[in-house]
Amino acid sequence: MWNWLRKPAAVHQRVLDFEHEHSIDKQCLASKASFLVLDFETTGLDAKKHHIVSAGWVRISDCRIQLNSAVYQLVKSPASVGQSAVIHGLHNSQVQQGIELEELLSLLLQELKGSVLVSHHSALELNFLKHSCQNSFGRAPAFKAVDTLKLELYKMQLKGGPVAQNSLSLPACLARYQLPEVTEHHALSDAFGCAQLLLAQLKTRGASCTLAELFQQSR
Amino acid sequence: MQVQEVVSFLKQTPPFDDLALHVLEAVSRDLSVVYLASGEQLLPEPQLLLIRSGLFALNTEQQRLTHLQCGDFYGYQLLLTGLADPDTILCEEDGLVYFLPQESFDKLRHQYKNFDLFFQRLFSRRLHLYQSNKQQSTSTLKVADLVTRRKVSIASSNTVQQAALLMTEQRVSCLLIEQDEKLVGILTDRDLRSRVLAKSLPASTTVSEVMTKTPQSIETDRFAFEAIQQMSQYNIHHLPVEQDGKAIGVLTTTDLIRSQQEHPVYLISHIHRQHQAEGLNAITPQVHQLAMQLAEQQIPSYEVSSVLTSIMDALAQSWLQIAEQQLGPAPCVYSWLGFGSQARRDMLPSADQDNALLLEKEPSGAVADYFSALADIVCNGLASSGQALCDGHIMASNPELRLSLKGWSNRFAKWLNTPAPQALLSSSIFFDMRLIYGSKALFNVLQQDVLARCKNNELFLYHLAKNATERQPPLGFFKHFLLEQDGRQRKGLDLKKRGISLITDLVRVYALSAGIHAVNTRERLALLQQQAVLTQRQQQNLQGAFDVLAHLRWQLQAEDLKRGRHLSNLLDPSQLNLLQRHQLKDAFAVIIDEQQVLRQRFCREL
C-alpha cells in the first residue's frame, strides 16, 4: 500500500504518461466522441476528509452505451464507512475486500485516455480524483468533465422560469426523459443512468453539437 | 461487471426469462444501448433489437404493420436468414433500444433450444406455438392412460365352456369376441351366469348365441371421463377399447375407480345418477367449481372446453331422460341436436343453449304436443342447471326448431340456395351440429343431406367465405390500447368476436366445402390437412392461433368465476404479459393472412 512512498518517481510517471497521451479534440462532434461515464460512492462529500468506497463506469462510443465496458470496483477505505453506509449500502467488511485506491486510480487513468469524463454533478468526482491522485501520486492531472446535471440546468435556464428543488437529481432527470429508473447510490447503476441521460441530452442538442459546447454548458 | 437494471429487465422478458441468471449477466455485457428521438429512423444492422422503452412504428412500403414497444424484438429476420426485409422502423416516442450482436444471438440459439424456438417461431409467425419452459401443462387422463393393453379374445364359434375355461385360465372377467380381426361381441362372466346357467343352456352353446353383439367401444385417444359417461349411460362395466379400428383391450369400472381423483369423472357419473330434477337443479356451483379447477391446472383450453361440453351433454341427456319419465315414451324416434359451441365441443362457462329437435315424424297433433312439452322441460331444466336460455331463441322450445327430417332438409336447402348474407349470418351456427341424445341414424341422414348440399355449392361458399372475412382482428397493441385497422384505439379486446369466432368461421367454410363431418375446430383442421385442403403450416398456424385465443378466454372467464363477476369475453390489453402480447399479435397476424387466403379461394368473381 505504501509502495508509492518508496518509488515516487515511477508512480508519478503514470500521471505524466496520462498527461502526455490524453488529448481531446474539442471540435470533435459529440456523436463521434468516446465518453467514460463515472460515478463514485464516498464516505462523505469532502474530498479532503472522506474516501472513495466504490466506483462504477461505463463507456459510450458512437452514441451507444457499450455494456461490455462496464466496471464496478469496491475500494479499500482507510477509514470506516461510518454513517455513509446508510446511503450506498456498503459496509466495512465489503469495502475491505476492494482494491487499493492507487490501483483504482491507475485503472481509471488508463481508461480515461482519449475519452471524455462524464458525471452527474461532476464536482464530486473531479474533487475526489484530484485529491486522490495528489495523495497517491504526488501529482494530479488537470481533469475536465462533462456534467449531465449542468447540461440539464443549462437547458432549463434557457427555457426560463424557476428551477425547482430536486428537479436536477439523477432520478428526476431520468424521469423527465421517460428513461427507466436505476438503483440510486450504486456506483455502476448511477453511472449507467447518467450514461442514458447523456444519450438523451445529446439528442436534444442535435447532430452538430461539439465537445466544446458540452464543456461550455458544463461550467 | 453487469448492470443490474439491464439484467432485471432481461429476467422479465421472454425468451430471456427462461435463462439462468449467470447467463443473463453474460448476455447483458454483450449489449449496447441506443437512445432514439421521435422522428428518427432505425437502420437495419445484423443485431437483435430489443425495445426497452418508447414507441416505434414498423412499416412496410405501403402500410403500418404494427407498433413495437417495451419487450418487442426486431432484426431476428436478418439474423436468422441473412435477408433484410423492406420494413422500416420509425421512432414515434423517444426511447431506448438494446442491441445484441449476431455472435451472441447465435451462441444463445445454439445453447438454448427454447431460445432458438422462440425466434424461429417469431420469425415464422408461429410464436403462438411457443411454450415457456415454466408452463408445463398437465393433461387430463385419456383412455390410453388407463387401459391395460392385454387382449383376451375368442372366436364366436367356440362353445361357452371353452370361453369359461379361457376366462379362468387368463383370470379375466370378460372376453372379446372377434371375427376377421374385427370386434363383433363381448362376453362377460355375468353373461355366463345370467344368460347360460340361469337359462339352463348346455355347455355346448356357442358364444355367438349368448354374447352381446356389436358392443359399445371407445377409442384410446378419448378422455377417461368420456368412457365413464358411456358406461354409465349404457349401464355397462366393461368397455372394449379400440385403436385404429382394432380392439386392444378392455376398460373396466375397476380401471376407472383407480383414476378417481379426476373430478370430471365424478361429476359426470353424478349427473347420470340423477333421476330427479332436484338433483340437477343444484349442479351449477359444482360445474363452475370444476371449470375453475381445470383452468387453474394449466390444462390446455381445448381439453377444458371438451370436459365442460361433456358435462353439458350429460346434463342434457339426464334432463331428456327425466322428461321421458314424466311424459312417457316418445311417440316416435327423435334426435336432440346441439349447435354452435356445444356441437364444436368448445363450450365455456358463459355458453348459452343452442339446441333443437329432429323428429322421425312430422310435428303435428299428439306428436307436436309431446315434443313441445319435452322441449320445455329440457330447456327450462338446463336453464335451472346453469345453461342460460338462448337470447336468439335457438332452442328446441321454439316450434321453428322442432322439425322432421324433411322439415330440416328444406330449411337447410333454403339457406343454401338463396344465401342472403344476413340470413346466412344468423344461420351459420346451424352448420355446426352434433347429436347429443337420441337416434344416431336419423341424425346421420340429416348430416349427410346437408353436407352433400354444401359441397361444390359455389354461390353458398362464396357468401359464407365473405361473411367469414367481414370482421377482422385488430392489428396489434399500442400501450394499453388496441390498434385498429382504421387507426382507432379501443380499450378492450373481444376475444370471441375479434378472434376465436373468426377462426371457427374460417375453418367452417373449408370443412363444408370438403364435406367434412367433424365439427370440432381442431378435428376439422386435422382432417382438412389430411385431405390436403390446407397445408400443414396453415393447419398448425390456425390451430396455434386458436389455442392461444381460447386459452386467454378461459383464463379470463375462470378469473370472472373466481371473483363472482359477470362472465365476459372482453380482455384488457394492459393485463397481458409480454409473452401473451407476442402470442396475441401473432394470432392476429395468422387470422389476417388466412382470411386473405380464404377470400382468394372462395370469393373470386363467379
Side-chain angles (χ1 to χ4, degrees):
Chain A
M1 180 173 176
W2 304 102
N3 272 355
W4 60 273
L5 274 180
R6 271 173 246 134
K7 295 186 244 167
V11 182
H12 189 99
Q13 193 61 38
R14 289 191 186 152
V15 179
L16 294 176
D17 283 352
F18 176 75
E19 287 174 337
H20 180 68
E21 291 169 27
H22 179 67
S23 77
I24 284 165
D25 173 10
K26 292 195 176 151
Q27 294 316 309
C28 176
L29 289 176
S31 58
K32 300 281 176 214
S34 170
F35 297 93
L36 193 77
V37 188
L38 174 71
D39 185 72
F40 286 151
E41 293 301 317
T42 59
T43 56
L45 296 177
D46 187 346
K48 288 178 199 155
K49 287 194 289 186
H50 298 120
H51 305 276
I52 299 170
V53 291
S54 67
W57 64 81
V58 65
R59 189 175 291 283
I60 295 177
S61 52
D62 293 325
C63 268
R64 289 186 183 195
I65 304 172
Q66 310 292 351
L67 286 176
N68 59 3
S69 67
V71 171
Y72 178 68
Q73 286 292 356
L74 292 170
V75 183
K76 271 186 193 161
S77 162
S80 164
V81 296
Q83 279 305 304
S84 70
V86 177
I87 293 175
H88 47 63
L90 296 172
H91 297 278
N92 286 331
S93 58
Q94 291 169 280
V95 168
Q96 288 321 313
Q97 292 177 8
I99 59 172
E100 300 290 345
L101 179 64
E102 182 198 325
E103 200 182 337
L104 175 82
L105 294 172
S106 299
L107 260 173
L108 256 176
L109 287 181
Q110 192 63 35
E111 293 259 5
L112 261 174
K113 270 179 207 166
S115 291
V116 179
L117 181 64
V118 182
S119 280
H120 196 70
H121 185 41
S122 61
L124 182 119
E125 274 74 18
L126 287 178
N127 279 338
F128 272 89
L129 264 180
K130 214 168 82 189
H131 274 89
S132 306
C133 281
Q134 193 67 50
N135 286 340
S136 296
F137 304 137
R139 182 186 171 98
F143 291 112
K144 225 171 157 43
V146 165
D147 188 342
T148 49
L149 184 147
K150 292 276 179 58
L151 294 182
E152 200 58 16
L153 180 65
Y154 177 84
K155 275 275 154 166
M156 289 173 113
Q157 285 170 339
L158 270 191
K159 279 189 199 159
V163 176
Q165 218 183 347
N166 268 336
S167 65
L168 290 173
S169 72
L170 184 58
C173 293
L174 290 174
R176 200 170 304 121
Y177 289 91
Q178 294 181 339
L179 290 164
E181 54 187 33
V182 295
T183 321
E184 256 191 292
H185 303 301
H186 179 282
L188 180 56
S189 293
D190 279 347
F192 179 63
C194 177
Q196 293 187 135
L197 177 59
L198 180 68
L199 289 185
Q201 289 172 329
L202 291 180
K203 285 289 175 198
T204 63
R205 282 166 172 76
S208 62
C209 174
T210 61
L211 289 178
E213 286 171 58
L214 293 181
F215 284 127
Q216 172 77 25
Q217 293 170 15
S218 295
R219 263 197 255 161
Chain B
M1 184 70 186
Q2 68 283 350
V3 176
Q4 209 42 54
E5 283 71 20
V6 178
V7 177
S8 335
F9 176 67
L10 292 177
K11 189 73 208 149
Q12 60 190 25
T13 306
F16 290 99
D17 58 346
D18 275 348
L19 304 180
L21 197 61
H22 71 274
V23 180
L24 292 182
E25 290 177 350
V27 170
S28 81
R29 286 195 290 273
D30 291 343
L31 295 170
S32 61
V33 182
V34 176
Y35 184 93
L36 281 118
S38 86
E40 264 189 284
Q41 195 166 319
L42 250 175
L43 297 170
E45 55 184 295
Q47 302 222 29
L48 180 73
L49 277 58
L50 168 58
I51 311 292
R52 174 65 183 90
S53 67
L55 191 65
F56 299 82
L58 183 63
N59 302 316
T60 57
E61 288 138 25
Q62 309 94 356
Q63 66 181 106
R64 155 93 21 102
L65 286 179
T66 184
H67 269 114
L68 301 177
Q69 60 181 6
C70 181
D72 286 340
F73 292 99
Y74 190 74
Y76 47 85
Q77 36 304 54
L78 182 59
L79 297 185
L80 293 172
T81 63
L83 302 171
D85 52 31
D87 303 346
T88 57
I89 298 184
L90 190 72
C91 177
E92 293 194 341
E93 265 176 32
D94 296 13
L96 292 164
V97 180
Y98 292 174
F99 282 69
L100 184 71
Q102 169 120 43
E103 307 87 71
S104 319
F105 179 71
D106 288 345
K107 209 171 116 200
L108 287 171
R109 281 180 51 213
H110 257 91
Q111 286 179 334
Y112 304 100
K113 199 171 147 249
N114 237 31
F115 184 89
D116 185 35
L117 209 61
F118 181 92
F119 286 102
Q120 293 286 355
R121 294 195 166 158
L122 199 57
F123 172 65
S124 62
R125 279 198 180 156
R126 287 199 289 126
L127 185 77
H128 42 267
L129 298 178
Y130 173 89
Q131 263 200 334
S132 168
N133 267 341
K134 287 173 223 145
Q135 299 177 337
Q136 269 165 5
S137 64
T138 55
S139 147
T140 43
L141 284 178
K142 300 246 166 136
V143 169
D145 301 325
L146 296 178
V147 66
T148 318
R149 286 169 189 267
R150 176 163 171 258
K151 183 172 76 173
V152 185
S153 64
I154 197 168
S156 61
S157 52
N158 287 70
T159 65
V160 289
Q161 188 177 28
Q162 285 168 320
L165 260 174
L166 184 63
M167 287 163 88
T168 314
E169 267 173 35
Q170 300 286 329
R171 296 170 171 271
V172 292
S173 57
C174 108
L175 289 177
L176 295 175
I177 319 300
E178 288 189 315
Q179 208 165 351
D180 304 324
E181 292 194 11
K182 279 248 180 292
L183 180 71
V184 295
I186 185 172
L187 188 70
T188 67
D189 50 9
R190 202 163 136 194
D191 295 337
L192 291 179
R193 195 169 66 227
S194 56
R195 296 182 191 167
V196 183
L197 279 176
K199 299 252 168 83
S200 310
L201 291 181
S204 58
T205 311
T206 60
V207 168
S208 63
E209 290 172 62
V210 292
M211 69 183 186
T212 305
K213 289 181 178 126
T214 56
Q216 290 287 318
S217 67
I218 194 162
E219 287 278 327
T220 48
D221 59 354
R222 309 308 301 208
F223 291 108
F225 65 83
E226 292 180 279
I228 284 271
Q229 191 180 9
Q230 210 169 339
M231 288 161 88
S232 59
Q233 192 178 347
Y234 295 96
N235 192 25
I236 50 179
H237 299 93
H238 298 85
L239 188 60
V241 175
E242 292 188 310
Q243 192 169 344
D244 304 321
K246 283 189 186 141
I248 60 137
V250 176
L251 196 65
T252 67
T253 32
T254 327
D255 295 328
L256 289 163
I257 287 167
R258 275 191 221 116
S259 70
Q260 258 189 2
Q261 297 94 327
E262 293 293 301
H263 299 281
V265 168
Y266 272 146
L267 191 54
I268 290 176
S269 60
H270 174 75
I271 290 172
H272 277 292
R273 279 197 308 273
Q274 304 305 312
H275 301 296
Q276 305 296 329
E278 293 74 37
L280 292 174
N281 283 337
I283 212 94
T284 319
Q286 277 167 275
V287 174
H288 285 175
Q289 183 64 30
L290 176 69
M292 277 187 287
Q293 277 172 2
L294 291 172
E296 273 171 9
Q297 284 170 26
Q298 298 254 3
I299 294 169
S301 58
Y302 59 90
E303 294 195 5
V304 188
S305 278
S306 181
V307 170
L308 189 66
T309 308
S310 293
I311 292 170
M312 292 305 172
D313 286 2
L315 273 174
Q317 288 152 4
S318 288
W319 277 112
L320 279 155
Q321 279 163 356
I322 287 173
E324 284 180 1
Q325 269 173 23
Q326 283 182 21
L327 302 171
C332 69
V333 169
Y334 71 92
S335 309
W336 182 268
L337 310 178
F339 295 115
S341 67
Q342 185 162 19
R344 289 191 306 268
R345 304 192 67 91
D346 56 64
M347 289 179 94
L348 278 140
S350 64
D352 59 6
Q353 295 186 36
D354 291 312
N355 49 45
L357 273 165
L358 166 62
L359 310 173
E360 185 196 19
K361 293 181 181 161
E362 287 302 325
S364 57
V367 175
D369 294 343
Y370 179 90
F371 286 107
S372 167
L374 178 113
D376 281 343
I377 293 173
V378 177
C379 290
N380 291 327
L382 285 174
S384 73
S385 303
Q387 199 183 3
L389 295 170
C390 174
D391 290 337
H393 293 286
I394 300 178
M395 287 184 294
S397 53
N398 174 355
E400 298 267 304
L401 299 180
R402 293 196 299 269
L403 302 174
S404 67
L405 192 57
K406 202 172 136 204
W408 277 111
S409 181
N410 287 341
R411 177 70 55 85
F412 274 102
K414 213 171 96 190
W415 286 326
L416 280 156
N417 296 330
T418 52
Q422 197 47 47
L424 244 192
L425 207 59
S426 48
S427 70
S428 66
I429 188 175
F430 294 103
F431 287 87
D432 296 341
M433 62 175 170
R434 186 166 61 86
L435 176 74
I436 308 287
Y437 181 83
S439 168
K440 176 109 181 120
L442 194 58
F443 170 77
N444 283 349
V445 177
L446 177 63
Q447 197 183 28
Q448 290 296 357
D449 177 68
V450 173
L451 285 175
R453 284 174 194 273
C454 290
K455 212 176 167 182
N456 301 326
N457 187 335
E458 283 182 28
L459 184 65
F460 167 71
L461 293 171
Y462 168 87
H463 284 294
L464 200 64
K466 219 168 158 214
N467 272 337
T469 54
E470 205 106 274
R471 273 180 294 137
Q472 277 158 348
L475 275 180
F477 300 99
F478 162 39
K479 302 234 156 148
H480 298 330
F481 297 98
L482 291 175
L483 190 67
E484 300 279 342
Q485 217 90 20
D486 55 7
R488 276 179 307 146
Q489 295 160 18
R490 197 188 285 257
K491 259 230 145 136
L493 164 65
D494 188 325
L495 284 170
K496 187 181 177 189
K497 274 193 194 147
R498 309 282 309 245
I500 296 166
S501 299
L502 302 183
I503 299 180
T504 49
D505 286 353
L506 209 139
V507 174
R508 183 186 303 114
V509 180
Y510 284 114
L512 292 179
S513 79
I516 284 172
H517 286 75
V519 283
N520 175 272
T521 302
R522 290 175 67 91
E523 286 173 27
R524 275 177 169 170
L525 281 169
L527 288 167
L528 286 166
Q529 192 248 312
Q530 271 174 32
Q531 299 185 11
V533 180
L534 294 179
T535 65
Q536 189 178 6
R537 194 186 147 96
Q538 280 181 300
Q539 179 240 336
Q540 285 174 347
N541 276 348
L542 282 166
Q543 182 161 310
F546 185 79
D547 287 348
V548 164
L549 292 163
H551 184 68
L552 277 174
R553 192 155 71 122
W554 253 106
Q555 284 184 330
L556 198 67
Q557 296 216 339
E559 190 65 26
D560 285 342
L561 280 177
K562 212 192 297 181
R563 293 166 185 255
R565 286 193 301 230
H566 174 71
L567 295 173
S568 154
N569 287 315
L570 223 53
L571 176 82
D572 174 2
S574 65
Q575 299 297 306
L576 293 170
N577 66 32
L578 283 174
L579 180 62
Q580 289 171 326
R581 223 177 55 206
H582 278 304
Q583 290 178 320
L584 256 186
K585 268 189 182 179
D586 232 36
F588 294 153
V590 166
I591 298 175
I592 292 173
D593 284 354
E594 287 301 325
Q595 284 189 334
Q596 239 159 38
V597 175
L598 188 81
R599 263 195 300 269
Q600 274 165 15
R601 212 183 278 196
F602 293 98
C603 297
R604 279 172 305 200
E605 290 307 310
L606 288 173

